[in-house]
Short mmCIF file of all heavy atoms in Angstrom, two decimals:
data_model
loop_
_atom_site.label_atom_id
_atom_site.label_comp_id
_atom_site.label_asym_id
_atom_site.label_seq_id
_atom_site.Cartn_x
_atom_site.Cartn_y
_atom_site.Cartn_z
N LEU A 694 -10.33 13.15 -3.64
CA LEU A 694 -10.20 13.73 -5.00
C LEU A 694 -8.81 13.61 -5.54
O LEU A 694 -8.60 13.48 -6.76
CB LEU A 694 -10.68 15.16 -4.98
CG LEU A 694 -12.19 15.38 -4.72
CD1 LEU A 694 -12.47 16.91 -4.59
CD2 LEU A 694 -13.06 14.70 -5.79
N LEU A 695 -7.75 13.72 -4.62
CA LEU A 695 -6.33 13.60 -5.11
C LEU A 695 -6.17 12.16 -5.60
O LEU A 695 -5.49 12.07 -6.70
CB LEU A 695 -5.49 13.95 -3.88
CG LEU A 695 -4.02 13.63 -4.16
CD1 LEU A 695 -3.40 14.64 -5.15
CD2 LEU A 695 -3.23 13.76 -2.84
N ALA A 696 -6.61 11.15 -4.98
CA ALA A 696 -6.50 9.85 -5.47
C ALA A 696 -7.06 9.63 -6.83
O ALA A 696 -6.37 9.06 -7.73
CB ALA A 696 -7.04 8.77 -4.43
N LEU A 697 -8.25 10.11 -7.01
CA LEU A 697 -8.91 9.95 -8.34
C LEU A 697 -8.18 10.68 -9.43
O LEU A 697 -8.00 10.31 -10.49
CB LEU A 697 -10.32 10.51 -8.27
CG LEU A 697 -11.25 9.71 -7.30
CD1 LEU A 697 -12.68 10.27 -7.38
CD2 LEU A 697 -11.34 8.17 -7.51
N PHE A 698 -7.56 11.93 -9.04
CA PHE A 698 -6.85 12.76 -10.01
C PHE A 698 -5.52 11.98 -10.39
O PHE A 698 -5.15 11.86 -11.51
CB PHE A 698 -6.54 14.06 -9.36
CG PHE A 698 -5.65 15.01 -10.27
CD1 PHE A 698 -6.17 15.58 -11.38
CD2 PHE A 698 -4.32 15.04 -9.99
CE1 PHE A 698 -5.40 16.33 -12.14
CE2 PHE A 698 -3.42 15.90 -10.82
CZ PHE A 698 -4.00 16.52 -11.95
N ILE A 699 -4.82 11.44 -9.36
CA ILE A 699 -3.58 10.74 -9.66
C ILE A 699 -3.83 9.47 -10.59
O ILE A 699 -3.08 9.26 -11.52
CB ILE A 699 -2.87 10.19 -8.38
CG1 ILE A 699 -2.32 11.45 -7.53
CG2 ILE A 699 -1.78 9.29 -8.61
CD1 ILE A 699 -1.82 11.18 -6.16
N TYR A 700 -4.90 8.71 -10.22
CA TYR A 700 -5.23 7.60 -11.03
C TYR A 700 -5.52 8.05 -12.47
O TYR A 700 -5.07 7.35 -13.49
CB TYR A 700 -6.45 6.84 -10.58
CG TYR A 700 -6.09 5.96 -9.30
CD1 TYR A 700 -6.90 6.00 -8.18
CD2 TYR A 700 -5.12 4.98 -9.36
CE1 TYR A 700 -6.61 5.07 -7.06
CE2 TYR A 700 -4.74 4.19 -8.31
CZ TYR A 700 -5.52 4.15 -7.11
OH TYR A 700 -5.28 3.30 -6.09
N SER A 701 -6.18 9.10 -12.59
CA SER A 701 -6.60 9.67 -13.95
C SER A 701 -5.34 10.01 -14.75
O SER A 701 -5.14 9.66 -15.93
CB SER A 701 -7.53 10.84 -13.86
OG SER A 701 -8.66 10.45 -13.17
N MET A 702 -4.42 10.63 -14.00
CA MET A 702 -3.10 11.15 -14.71
C MET A 702 -2.25 9.93 -14.98
O MET A 702 -1.53 9.95 -16.04
CB MET A 702 -2.46 12.19 -13.92
CG MET A 702 -3.17 13.48 -13.78
SD MET A 702 -3.45 14.33 -15.39
CE MET A 702 -5.09 13.79 -15.86
N VAL A 703 -2.27 8.95 -14.12
CA VAL A 703 -1.43 7.78 -14.42
C VAL A 703 -1.95 7.01 -15.62
O VAL A 703 -1.23 6.58 -16.53
CB VAL A 703 -1.45 6.79 -13.29
CG1 VAL A 703 -0.97 5.42 -13.57
CG2 VAL A 703 -0.62 7.34 -12.10
N LEU A 704 -3.33 6.97 -15.79
CA LEU A 704 -3.93 6.29 -16.97
C LEU A 704 -3.64 7.19 -18.21
O LEU A 704 -3.45 6.63 -19.37
CB LEU A 704 -5.44 6.11 -16.74
CG LEU A 704 -5.72 5.10 -15.74
CD1 LEU A 704 -7.35 5.06 -15.51
CD2 LEU A 704 -5.30 3.72 -15.94
N PHE A 705 -3.67 8.45 -18.09
CA PHE A 705 -3.42 9.22 -19.29
C PHE A 705 -2.05 9.21 -19.75
O PHE A 705 -1.78 9.07 -20.89
CB PHE A 705 -3.72 10.73 -18.89
CG PHE A 705 -3.23 11.75 -19.85
CD1 PHE A 705 -3.80 11.84 -21.12
CD2 PHE A 705 -2.24 12.69 -19.49
CE1 PHE A 705 -3.34 12.80 -22.01
CE2 PHE A 705 -1.83 13.58 -20.46
CZ PHE A 705 -2.37 13.67 -21.67
N GLU A 752 -2.51 -1.63 -7.79
CA GLU A 752 -1.54 -0.63 -7.43
C GLU A 752 -0.28 -1.17 -6.79
O GLU A 752 0.60 -0.43 -6.71
CB GLU A 752 -2.36 0.32 -6.50
CG GLU A 752 -2.84 -0.31 -5.29
CD GLU A 752 -4.21 -0.92 -5.43
OE1 GLU A 752 -4.78 -0.86 -6.49
OE2 GLU A 752 -4.60 -1.59 -4.39
N SER A 910 -9.44 9.93 -19.58
CA SER A 910 -8.66 9.44 -18.44
C SER A 910 -9.42 9.76 -17.21
O SER A 910 -9.32 8.93 -16.15
CB SER A 910 -7.27 10.08 -18.40
OG SER A 910 -7.39 11.48 -18.04
N ALA A 913 -12.21 7.04 -16.44
CA ALA A 913 -11.48 5.85 -16.23
C ALA A 913 -10.82 5.79 -14.90
O ALA A 913 -10.77 4.84 -14.17
CB ALA A 913 -10.47 5.61 -17.33
N GLY A 914 -10.13 7.00 -14.50
CA GLY A 914 -9.48 7.12 -13.18
C GLY A 914 -10.55 7.09 -11.99
O GLY A 914 -10.19 6.44 -11.03
N ILE A 915 -11.64 7.59 -12.19
CA ILE A 915 -12.65 7.59 -11.16
C ILE A 915 -13.13 6.20 -10.93
O ILE A 915 -13.23 5.66 -9.78
CB ILE A 915 -13.87 8.51 -11.48
CG1 ILE A 915 -13.43 9.97 -11.43
CG2 ILE A 915 -15.03 8.24 -10.57
CD1 ILE A 915 -14.50 10.90 -12.05
N TYR A 917 -11.41 3.48 -11.73
CA TYR A 917 -10.30 2.65 -11.14
C TYR A 917 -10.19 2.89 -9.61
O TYR A 917 -10.13 1.96 -8.82
CB TYR A 917 -8.97 3.05 -11.85
CG TYR A 917 -7.80 2.29 -11.53
CD1 TYR A 917 -7.36 1.40 -12.50
CD2 TYR A 917 -7.21 2.28 -10.30
CE1 TYR A 917 -6.13 0.62 -12.23
CE2 TYR A 917 -6.04 1.56 -10.04
CZ TYR A 917 -5.57 0.70 -11.04
OH TYR A 917 -4.44 -0.02 -10.75
N GLY A 918 -10.26 4.18 -9.23
CA GLY A 918 -10.22 4.60 -7.80
C GLY A 918 -11.38 4.00 -7.03
O GLY A 918 -11.18 3.49 -5.91
N TRP A 919 -12.54 4.04 -7.58
CA TRP A 919 -13.69 3.48 -6.84
C TRP A 919 -13.57 2.03 -6.67
O TRP A 919 -13.95 1.52 -5.62
CB TRP A 919 -14.96 3.82 -7.73
CG TRP A 919 -16.27 3.27 -7.02
CD1 TRP A 919 -16.99 2.16 -7.35
CD2 TRP A 919 -16.82 3.82 -5.82
NE1 TRP A 919 -18.01 2.02 -6.55
CE2 TRP A 919 -18.00 3.01 -5.58
CE3 TRP A 919 -16.60 4.90 -4.97
CZ2 TRP A 919 -18.82 3.29 -4.47
CZ3 TRP A 919 -17.43 5.17 -3.93
CH2 TRP A 919 -18.46 4.31 -3.68
N VAL A 921 -10.72 0.30 -6.40
CA VAL A 921 -9.82 0.15 -5.26
C VAL A 921 -10.40 0.35 -3.96
O VAL A 921 -10.15 -0.47 -3.06
CB VAL A 921 -8.61 1.19 -5.53
CG1 VAL A 921 -7.64 1.15 -4.31
CG2 VAL A 921 -7.83 0.75 -6.76
N LEU A 922 -11.19 1.42 -3.82
CA LEU A 922 -11.84 1.67 -2.55
C LEU A 922 -12.82 0.49 -2.07
O LEU A 922 -12.76 0.07 -0.93
CB LEU A 922 -12.63 2.98 -2.63
CG LEU A 922 -13.43 3.42 -1.35
CD1 LEU A 922 -12.54 3.51 -0.17
CD2 LEU A 922 -14.27 4.64 -1.59
N TRP A 961 3.41 6.75 -7.90
CA TRP A 961 2.18 7.52 -7.94
C TRP A 961 0.94 6.59 -7.74
O TRP A 961 0.04 6.98 -7.10
CB TRP A 961 1.98 8.25 -9.34
CG TRP A 961 2.87 9.47 -9.43
CD1 TRP A 961 3.88 9.61 -10.25
CD2 TRP A 961 2.80 10.61 -8.51
NE1 TRP A 961 4.47 10.91 -10.03
CE2 TRP A 961 3.78 11.49 -8.95
CE3 TRP A 961 2.01 11.02 -7.47
CZ2 TRP A 961 4.10 12.71 -8.26
CZ3 TRP A 961 2.23 12.18 -6.82
CH2 TRP A 961 3.21 13.09 -7.31
N LEU A 962 0.99 5.39 -8.16
CA LEU A 962 -0.10 4.34 -7.87
C LEU A 962 -0.17 4.09 -6.42
O LEU A 962 -1.22 4.08 -5.81
CB LEU A 962 0.13 3.10 -8.66
CG LEU A 962 -0.21 3.16 -10.17
CD1 LEU A 962 0.12 1.76 -10.79
CD2 LEU A 962 -1.72 3.43 -10.45
N MET A 963 1.01 3.94 -5.75
CA MET A 963 1.02 3.79 -4.34
C MET A 963 0.57 4.90 -3.48
O MET A 963 -0.16 4.80 -2.54
CB MET A 963 2.48 3.34 -3.94
CG MET A 963 2.60 2.79 -2.51
SD MET A 963 1.68 1.28 -2.32
CE MET A 963 1.23 1.33 -0.55
N THR A 964 0.91 6.09 -3.96
CA THR A 964 0.56 7.34 -3.33
C THR A 964 -0.96 7.48 -3.43
O THR A 964 -1.61 7.86 -2.41
CB THR A 964 1.32 8.60 -3.98
OG1 THR A 964 2.61 8.42 -3.90
CG2 THR A 964 0.80 9.88 -3.28
N ALA A 965 -1.55 7.16 -4.58
CA ALA A 965 -3.02 7.29 -4.77
C ALA A 965 -3.70 6.24 -3.81
O ALA A 965 -4.67 6.58 -3.18
CB ALA A 965 -3.42 6.99 -6.21
N PHE A 966 -3.12 4.99 -3.76
CA PHE A 966 -3.70 4.01 -2.91
C PHE A 966 -3.63 4.40 -1.39
O PHE A 966 -4.66 4.33 -0.67
CB PHE A 966 -2.94 2.70 -3.08
CG PHE A 966 -3.37 1.52 -2.20
CD1 PHE A 966 -4.68 1.12 -2.41
CD2 PHE A 966 -2.50 0.87 -1.34
CE1 PHE A 966 -5.13 0.01 -1.63
CE2 PHE A 966 -2.95 -0.13 -0.64
CZ PHE A 966 -4.27 -0.59 -0.73
N LEU A 967 -2.52 5.03 -0.95
CA LEU A 967 -2.46 5.51 0.40
C LEU A 967 -3.42 6.69 0.65
O LEU A 967 -3.86 6.87 1.77
CB LEU A 967 -0.97 5.94 0.73
CG LEU A 967 0.04 4.83 0.79
CD1 LEU A 967 1.39 5.42 1.05
CD2 LEU A 967 -0.37 3.82 1.84
N ILE A 969 -6.41 7.06 -0.70
CA ILE A 969 -7.66 6.48 -0.51
C ILE A 969 -7.84 5.89 0.86
O ILE A 969 -8.82 6.03 1.60
CB ILE A 969 -8.00 5.40 -1.58
CG1 ILE A 969 -8.45 6.16 -2.96
CG2 ILE A 969 -9.00 4.43 -1.12
CD1 ILE A 969 -8.87 5.20 -4.01
#
Side-chain angles (χ1 to χ4, degrees):
L694 292 178
L695 174 66
L697 299 182
F698 177 76
I699 292 175
Y700 282 133
S701 299
M702 291 301 95
V703 166
L704 293 176
F705 170 66
E752 61 279 352
S910 68
I915 292 171
Y917 192 106
W919 180 255
V921 169
L922 176 61
W961 285 117
L962 285 174
M963 189 65 209
T964 301
F966 181 58
L967 291 178
I969 280 184

